[in-house]
Amino acid sequence: MEILNFIWTSGVSFIFILSVIVFIHEMGHYLIARYNGVRVEVFSIGFGPELTGWTARNGTRWKISVLPLGGYVKMFGDAGVASTPSGETREMTPEEREVSFHHKRVGQRTAIVFGGPFANFLLAVVILAGLFMTVGQRITPADVSIVKPGSPAEEAGILPGDLVIRINGEAIERFETMQQFARENPGVPLEVVVERDGEEVVMTVTPKLVEKTDRFGNLVRYGELGVGRVGVKYVQHNPIKAVWAATEETAELTAMTLRALGQMIAGTRGTDELGGPIRIAQLSGQVAEEGVVTLFWFMAVLSINLGLINLFPVPMLDGGHLMFYLVEAVRGKPLGERAQEYGFRIGLAMVVTLMVFATWNDLVQLEVFDFFASLFS
């Protein structure tokens, strides 16, 4: 029964969330491709054999495929879903060249490829703006209500009632930003400026390293100041303010993700936090149970992550195509077919390796291997 419940709550939520995000991503490619006169042959949500679909008047086959773990737009002249040249471009008629993706100017191809990630960031802004106009934006000023005894904050001299205004020279407007500074810098001295009785007080605080196991069984390491605040308020914005605040929030979430990845590469943050489809499905089920607001918030965050990952300069991803187009713009001609082929092979290997690693993390956290081991012990 637990497995059936997991499939229903997590599986259905996961498919819904991912399908929406993927649809928006591929629609970004599609719309800009059509604007630039490219013929789109297939628009698919999912991979593998077709489940259902229809053919539009312009010849595009819109379909839903068996494996709901992504999607693709196949343009005229592509060899496959990765937008690699088919090898038949030299034999095309003038009419075919006119609608072929690979015969468009490098600027047009760049816009088409960038359209997918851009659509994901735009989706996040739209979702967050909608939440900020209806539910409101969560506002938590960086004022300190609680200082834990024996904490780094107490040792540095921070007092209840202090308002943190700068850390390492960066302005602090929200309590979450202060916490994030601490989380990302365990054991690193931080210059903290607080406002106390109308005056600025400068002090040095070194976040304490905390190690704990999260609800998924991950060992998480982070820094902690030992401060807290009481109360959270939600502020509703008018449409203009909501869009601006949503854009800032999207930029902040993007920056946080990049910082986390940088820390993993540098070795200061564990890679066990990386999750694959199973982890995303598990989170999807949990946020669905918490309500519509949490579900849409999670969708916005996931959309940002998908857009960001696709911009990484890895062949097979949108960022890899953009990297090739940059080289083409500099050289005045595209890379040779063999160089591109090797690049896509390397990119495929990197993507598959990352997926296997992330899925391995998921299986370890769900104790799947321990379960099978217990059957033979």
Side-chain angles (χ1 to χ4, degrees):
M1 291 300 293
E2 289 185 5
I3 294 178
L4 292 176
N5 183 62
F6 175 82
I7 294 175
W8 176 249
T9 59
S10 299
V12 173
S13 301
F14 169 67
I15 292 174
F16 168 74
I17 292 173
L18 190 62
S19 296
V20 171
I21 294 172
V22 168
F23 176 80
I24 295 298
H25 178 94
E26 300 304 334
M27 184 57 72
H29 291 310
Y30 175 84
L31 291 176
I32 299 180
R34 294 294 299 149
Y35 178 80
N36 284 280
V38 175
R39 182 195 304 169
V40 178
E41 297 183 328
V42 179
F43 187 114
S44 176
I45 299 300
F47 297 104
E50 177 180 323
L51 285 176
T52 184
W54 69 94
T55 302
R57 292 180 181 179
N58 61 10
T60 301
R61 181 66 180 175
W62 297 75
K63 65 180 184 177
I64 299 175
S65 301
V66 171
L67 193 60
L69 294 178
Y72 63 92
V73 169
K74 184 177 182 298
M75 303 177 203
F76 183 72
D78 288 347
V81 300
S83 287
T84 53
S86 66
E88 302 177 356
T89 54
R90 296 174 185 172
E91 302 174 6
M92 289 182 181
T93 65
E95 292 76 15
E96 289 175 329
R97 288 172 177 266
E98 187 67 25
V99 296
S100 169
F101 170 75
H102 296 283
H103 282 91
K104 294 298 179 181
R105 299 190 307 274
V106 65
Q108 291 175 300
R109 281 177 277 138
T110 298
I112 293 169
V113 170
F114 183 72
F118 175 77
N120 282 128
F121 290 112
L122 184 60
L123 174 63
V125 171
V126 170
I127 291 175
L128 294 175
L131 291 176
F132 294 167
M133 284 188 290
T134 54
V135 180
Q137 183 179 15
R138 189 173 186 265
I139 301 297
T140 50
D143 53 345
V144 177
S145 303
I146 303 168
V147 179
K148 295 181 181 179
S151 66
E154 184 187 55
E155 294 175 0
I158 294 179
L159 302 175
D162 285 349
L163 175 65
V164 178
I165 56 178
R166 287 191 301 277
I167 297 180
N168 285 356
E170 183 172 327
I172 303 297
E173 297 180 355
R174 300 167 60 179
F175 191 82
E176 291 84 358
T177 307
M178 175 177 62
Q179 287 181 310
Q180 191 64 30
F181 256 104
R183 290 184 67 86
E184 296 175 354
N185 294 281
V188 178
L190 302 176
E191 183 186 78
V192 179
V193 180
V194 304
E195 184 179 298
R196 180 185 300 164
D197 298 328
E199 297 183 356
E200 293 187 2
V201 180
V202 182
M203 57 194 74
T204 300
V205 187
T206 303
K208 179 179 66 175
L209 174 64
V210 177
E211 297 183 345
K212 60 182 289 188
T213 302
D214 66 13
R215 57 184 176 178
F216 301 114
N218 296 322
L219 179 62
V220 182
R221 302 177 180 87
Y222 59 91
E224 187 178 82
L225 292 177
V227 297
R229 74 179 307 279
V230 177
V232 175
K233 62 179 180 178
Y234 289 84
V235 178
Q236 290 182 311
H237 300 309
N238 61 48
I240 296 177
K241 174 62 176 176
V243 170
W244 179 253
T247 303
E248 290 182 323
E249 191 77 17
T250 298
E252 178 62 24
L253 290 169
T254 302
M256 288 172 57
T257 303
L258 289 174
R259 285 198 294 267
L261 289 173
Q263 290 168 349
M264 290 181 187
I265 295 172
T268 58
R269 188 170 187 155
T271 56
D272 50 4
E273 295 181 46
L274 286 174
I278 299 175
R279 183 85 59 87
I280 296 173
Q282 188 179 35
L283 285 170
S284 298
Q286 291 178 346
V287 298
E289 292 177 352
E290 293 178 11
V292 176
V293 173
T294 307
L295 180 68
F296 277 103
W297 178 269
F298 179 69
M299 187 184 294
V301 173
L302 201 59
S303 187
I304 292 170
N305 287 334
L306 178 62
L308 187 60
I309 289 172
N310 266 280
L311 286 176
F312 289 168
V314 177
M316 288 292 294
L317 300 179
D318 292 334
H321 290 283
L322 295 174
M323 178 178 63
F324 285 158
Y325 299 156
L326 176 62
V327 173
E328 179 179 346
V330 173
R331 296 177 73 232
K333 61 180 179 178
L335 288 173
E337 290 185 11
R338 176 167 294 185
Q340 292 190 48
E341 181 181 351
Y342 281 121
F344 282 113
R345 287 181 180 180
I346 294 171
L348 177 61
M350 294 174 66
V351 171
V352 171
T353 301
L354 180 61
M355 285 295 296
V356 170
F357 180 75
T359 304
W360 177 275
N361 273 351
D362 293 348
L363 295 175
V364 169
Q365 305 310 328
L366 292 174
E367 300 181 347
V368 172
F369 299 115
D370 293 340
F371 169 76
F372 282 108
S374 67
L375 296 178
F376 300 96
S377 60

